[in-house]
Amino acid sequence: MKLCVFQGTFNPIHNAHLGVCEYIVKNLNFDKVLLIPAQNPPHKELDSSLAAHRLEMVKLAASEHDYLGVSDIEYRRNTPSYTYETIKQLYNDYEIDGKINFIIGTDAFRKIESWYESDKLKELVDFLLFLRDNEYDSESFENLRAKGYNFRLMKMPFNDISSTQIRNLAANSKPISNIVPKSIEEYIKKHGLYRIHKI
């Protein structure tokens, strides 16, 4: 299986996330894009009461696209959601053709050397790099390539949607139908998410 992984907090999942997945499927030859919500990310503080909701919203969004899969691998562990540990487990769980490809934004990739077991992680994945801002500092990224971080810069235009923006809109009962799937908007309303938990 040619597998591409998209890991994140997805708090909540939105149209920019799904647009990245669609772009990958249309332009690269993967059998599946696997969405992996992080239950306990080491670099972010999240309201733990929203963890199950984040997973359910990802499942809901993925169910609308046959090229998407969802893994609860990080929900089945009681340890922080370290990417290296997750990727190692995926190689055990799936018959992988070549290397796993890993979707990452330029903002996160700049800090990749600070990730847990980063030197080992770079041997296990090829990175698919998406712009998360309007600037691309080629020199800093080429320095990472020289250190063994193999990546391809995707040419998809930057889509300025953030989960923080969605949470703030939902907290104030503002419409979000243009930036999340309808099923996600309905789920957020049904469960009263973010009106209480502003994070």
Side-chain angles (χ1 to χ4, degrees):
M1 172 186 289
K2 292 183 178 179
L3 183 64
C4 185
V5 166
F6 194 178
Q7 181 193 41
T9 54
F10 301 117
N11 190 30
I13 192 167
H14 53 65
N15 289 347
H17 294 135
L18 296 171
V20 163
C21 296
E22 183 179 7
Y23 180 92
I24 287 291
V25 169
K26 286 184 175 179
N27 290 278
L28 301 173
N29 187 29
F30 289 107
D31 296 307
K32 185 74 70 174
V33 177
L34 189 65
L35 300 169
I36 306 180
Q39 182 184 27
N40 183 20
H43 298 297
K44 287 187 179 181
E45 290 188 11
L46 294 176
D47 186 336
S48 60
S49 69
L50 292 174
H53 288 298
R54 291 189 290 107
L55 176 61
E56 287 306 311
M57 284 189 282
V58 170
K59 288 180 178 178
L60 196 59
S63 69
E64 300 173 11
H65 305 278
D66 58 7
Y67 52 82
L68 294 179
V70 181
S71 172
D72 64 354
I73 185 173
E74 298 194 350
Y75 282 71
R76 291 184 270 113
R77 293 200 303 256
N78 293 319
T79 57
S81 300
Y82 291 122
T83 299
Y84 170 66
E85 299 293 347
T86 296
I87 296 297
K88 274 202 313 179
Q89 187 61 48
L90 291 178
Y91 276 106
N92 289 329
D93 293 346
Y94 294 90
E95 292 186 10
I96 306 296
D97 181 3
K99 273 189 178 182
I100 290 174
N101 279 244
F102 188 85
I103 294 170
I104 189 169
T106 48
D107 54 344
F109 193 61
R110 286 191 184 97
K111 304 171 185 175
I112 192 67
E113 290 180 285
S114 70
W115 288 24
Y116 175 76
E117 298 285 19
S118 180
D119 277 343
K120 295 180 181 177
L121 175 64
K122 71 184 181 185
E123 302 299 325
L124 298 180
V125 301
D126 289 334
F127 296 95
L128 299 178
L129 195 56
F130 283 82
L131 290 173
R132 281 296 305 272
D133 46 42
N134 290 313
E135 294 183 5
Y136 177 71
D137 179 5
S138 60
E139 183 176 349
S140 64
F141 290 120
E142 289 307 319
N143 285 337
L144 286 170
R145 191 192 299 279
K147 294 178 181 179
Y149 294 87
N150 189 42
F151 68 88
R152 283 188 284 179
L153 178 64
M154 300 290 100
K155 295 182 179 180
M156 180 179 177
F158 172 54
N159 190 350
D160 191 13
I161 299 175
S162 75
S163 293
T164 301
Q165 170 193 9
I166 295 166
R167 295 195 300 271
N168 288 338
L169 289 170
N172 292 286
S173 300
K174 298 290 180 63
I176 56 174
S177 56
N178 61 325
I179 47 181
V180 300
K182 183 174 180 59
S183 59
I184 302 304
E185 180 185 32
E186 291 174 349
Y187 186 97
I188 289 170
K189 288 180 178 179
K190 177 181 177 181
H191 295 277
L193 303 185
Y194 309 124
R195 288 188 298 177
I196 298 172
H197 307 284
K198 295 183 183 180
I199 57 176

